[in-house]
Amino acid sequence: MRRHLWVLGVLFSVLSLLCLPLQAQVRDYDTIIESGYIKVALYKDFPPYSFQQDGKPRGTDYEIAKALAKGLGVRLEVIWAPPGEKLDDDLRDYIWKGHYLRPQELADVMLRVPYDREFSYKRNELGELVNELVVMFGPYQRERWQVAFDTRRLESVPSVAVFRTHPIGVEVESVPSFYLSSVFEGSLSKQTHHYTNPEQAFAGMKAGEVDAVMAMRGEVQWLYGQAKDKKLALAENAYPNMGRQVWDIGMAVHETNRQLAYALEGQLEELILSGAVKKIYASYGLSYELPELYQETE
């Protein structure tokens, strides 16, 4: 009887192991080069940075990833990453652990990750590093917030105080949403209209639902260019009491893959200093601002 129970126990253990998802493996630099391709995680449906148009990949991040792959002498394989609720989730799913639905789909590198010391060393409630298995490196662009407005209903935007009386569209649960709903003791909240994404907010402005839109500069400039409406304008102003208004965007790899990070940094520096990255942004109608790291060397 005991022998039967022991056998059943062994069988149960084996079946349990078989049912567990296989742990995703991190490919080191030599493996990547030998394989002839690099897997890059890019955010899905995120114009103008990474998206597909007529079945073809497009976007500034896609073009940069393609140039980096070429510099390493390998082909680019894109993993289209739907954004999670937090960046920490995305780094877990694509850099160090893998998603439970795609346990073996780890990327070698992920783009559009904040290059920020405070975020890199963020700790949880137990004092543990949240992203200790991730190396964030290679800043390639400085991002900031921007407002676009319709001059038929709003002459100018000298400050965000004009949105006490003029409706403005923002993406739901975004930084502009929280900011405009709380600044000036919440006096702008009634005029802050929420949309699924900046594209829908622009559609709302075109339909006359709102007089302006606030989002990341790249998104606003892309939508402004796509609209081809001479009555739209871009505002250039600061945002009082907002906190951080500009930040640098970089890349991330697994902490064991620093050799890959060094190789990518070398390729990226060439692309930035040669003006290739600036040309990529210009091809999408976007202005380009150097990350702080490169501003210091100008």
Side-chain angles (χ1 to χ4, degrees), residues 184-196:
F184 300 144
E185 299 181 344
S187 61
L188 313 185
S189 60
K190 290 184 179 180
Q191 296 289 357
T192 303
H193 295 224
H194 295 88
Y195 295 86
T196 304

Side-chain angles (χ1 to χ4, degrees), residues 68-90:
L68 290 172
K70 182 179 179 181
L72 295 180
V74 296
R75 73 178 188 276
L76 172 63
E77 182 176 300
V78 175
I79 296 176
W80 294 106
E85 291 186 4
K86 298 183 297 183
L87 176 59
D88 302 331
D89 299 334
D90 300 334

Side-chain angles (χ1 to χ4, degrees):
M1 181 65 178
R2 289 182 180 178
R3 179 175 176 81
H4 292 318
L5 290 174
W6 178 83
V7 171
L8 286 173
V10 171
L11 286 173
F12 179 78
S13 298
V14 171
L15 289 172
S16 297
L17 289 172
L18 290 174
C19 291
L20 288 173
L22 296 175
Q23 178 65 42
Q25 297 297 311
V26 177
R27 303 195 311 156
D28 61 28
Y29 177 74
D30 291 337
T31 300
I32 292 168
I33 299 302
E34 289 172 6
S35 73
Y37 67 94
I38 184 169
K39 296 188 292 183
V40 180
L42 302 177
Y43 281 114
K44 184 179 180 181
D45 301 328
F46 195 17
Y49 310 113
S50 48
F51 61 105
Q52 295 188 67
Q53 190 172 56
D54 299 326
K56 296 180 180 180
R58 295 199 64 204
T60 56
D61 285 356
Y62 169 74
E63 302 293 347
I64 291 171
K66 188 167 65 172
L68 290 172
K70 182 179 179 181
L72 295 180
V74 296
R75 73 178 188 276
L76 172 63
E77 182 176 300
V78 175
I79 296 176
W80 294 106
E85 291 186 4
K86 298 183 297 183
L87 176 59
D88 302 331
D89 299 334
D90 300 334
L91 293 172
R92 177 198 63 216
D93 291 347
Y94 293 98
I95 293 299
W96 62 268
K97 184 177 182 180
H99 194 279
Y100 70 94
L101 292 177
R102 305 174 297 275
Q104 291 184 289
E105 191 177 59
L106 276 186
D108 300 315
V109 59
M110 186 170 192
L111 268 62
R112 197 143 293 273
V113 174
Y115 181 75
D116 179 81
R117 181 178 177 83
E118 183 178 337
F119 180 80
S120 297
Y121 292 97
K122 183 174 67 171
R123 296 179 180 273
N124 60 21
E125 62 276 7
L126 300 177
E128 303 167 330
L129 286 172
V130 175
N131 295 301
E132 65 174 343
L133 297 178
V134 177
V135 173
M136 300 173 209
F137 69 102
Y140 59 86
Q141 178 225 340
R142 171 154 280 200
E143 187 64 90
R144 61 178 67 233
W145 303 106
Q146 189 163 38
V147 168
F149 62 98
D150 192 325
T151 60
R152 285 165 291 217
R153 299 186 296 274
L154 181 59
E155 289 186 4
S156 64
V157 184
S159 82
V160 293
V162 299
F163 300 119
R164 286 192 174 104
T165 55
H166 289 272
I168 181 170
V170 296
E171 183 176 10
V172 65
E173 295 186 355
S174 64
V175 171
S177 168
F178 295 126
Y179 171 67
L180 292 172
S181 298
S182 60
V183 73
F184 300 144
E185 299 181 344
S187 61
L188 313 185
S189 60
K190 290 184 179 180
Q191 296 289 357
T192 303
H193 295 224
H194 295 88
Y195 295 86
T196 304
N197 51 47
E199 185 177 7
Q200 293 298 317
F202 252 75
M205 183 165 62
K206 183 178 180 180
E209 298 169 357
V210 294
D211 297 343
V213 170
M214 182 177 177
M216 285 190 291
R217 179 171 61 181
E219 294 176 302
V220 167
Q221 290 184 347
W222 166 256
L223 291 166
Y224 170 79
Q226 294 293 299
K228 295 181 172 60
D229 185 342
K230 294 182 179 180
K231 292 297 183 179
L232 300 183
L234 299 176
E236 297 290 346
N237 51 271
Y239 304 100
N241 303 318
M242 190 179 195
R244 180 166 298 181
Q245 301 185 33
V246 298
W247 64 100
D248 290 341
I249 296 295
M251 301 180 279
V253 298
H254 193 278
E255 63 91 17
T256 62
N257 224 352
R258 293 176 185 270
Q259 186 179 0
L260 173 61
Y262 297 145
L264 289 170
E265 276 184 322
Q267 295 298 323
L268 179 64
E269 183 170 310
E270 290 183 21
L271 293 171
I272 291 175
L273 297 181
S274 69
V277 174
K278 184 177 182 179
K279 288 180 181 178
I280 288 172
Y281 276 76
S283 70
Y284 285 85
L286 312 179
S287 57
Y288 176 69
E289 187 175 355
L290 283 170
E292 183 179 10
L293 177 66
Y294 293 94
Q295 291 181 8
E296 294 174 351
T297 60
E298 282 190 317

